[in-house]
Amino acid sequence: MRVERICTVCGRSISWRRKWARDWESVKYCSDACRKRGVSQRDRHIEEVILALLDARAADASICPSEAARKLADGDDWRQQMEPVRMAARRLQRAGRIDITQQGRPVDPDTAKGPIRLRLRPVGVQL
């Protein structure tokens, strides 16, 4: 039985490939780029910024990922920070810390199209 794998760097689902049949249990990365990149202290800092922004809001409030990107940009072009913020959001969602939503409903980050919002996951709720 093939169990779904999640990339430890970008948080995306990893599709099973026949060449991985013997070592599927040890697959941790979706691509060579993620394997080379790894999860850095900067990535952990981005996760902390997202959680801090959410903690400062009401329990049921959400943020746009661009809010975290703008905070991280520190005067630079914040758009460059968007993909690292999305990656951090997917990792946090997979870890059960936040929900990625569209129109107020949790969505699968692999299939979500269009704008997303981030909110803290209510205590005791698992997807």
Side-chain angles (χ1 to χ4, degrees):
M1 180 174 150
R2 293 180 216 144
V3 176
E4 180 185 51
R5 295 275 180 249
I6 305 300
C7 180
T8 58
V9 175
C10 69
R12 290 187 172 101
S13 296
I14 301 173
S15 300
W16 185 85
R17 297 178 188 156
R18 196 164 93 198
K19 70 178 185 175
W20 291 338
R22 287 184 292 173
D23 59 347
W24 179 241
E25 296 301 316
S26 64
V27 173
K28 297 191 308 187
Y29 306 103
C30 66
S31 65
D32 287 336
C34 281
R35 180 180 297 107
K36 289 176 187 172
R37 184 176 189 281
V39 179
S40 67
Q41 285 299 109
R42 173 83 173 142
D43 295 324
R44 296 296 178 209
H45 174 68
I46 294 170
E47 292 173 8
E48 291 170 9
V49 167
I50 291 170
L51 293 172
L53 286 169
L54 289 168
D55 282 338
R57 302 284 171 92
D60 60 344
S62 64
I63 65 166
C64 179
S66 66
E67 292 179 54
R70 289 172 202 270
K71 186 168 180 85
L72 292 162
D74 198 33
D76 296 331
D77 183 16
W78 60 270
R79 288 173 186 85
Q80 294 175 358
Q81 299 297 321
M82 284 301 293
E83 188 53 30
V85 168
R86 287 186 196 108
M87 290 169 66
R90 285 191 297 265
R91 286 192 304 271
L92 288 168
Q93 188 263 345
R94 300 291 187 182
R97 308 275 310 271
I98 68 170
D99 286 326
I100 296 175
T101 65
Q102 286 183 321
Q103 298 178 349
R105 293 183 300 267
V107 294
D108 178 4
D110 290 339
T111 59
K113 302 283 187 219
I116 60 171
R117 306 246 343 142
L118 311 175
R119 71 175 180 209
L120 286 175
R121 181 166 292 170
V123 178
V125 174
Q126 291 294 325
L127 292 180

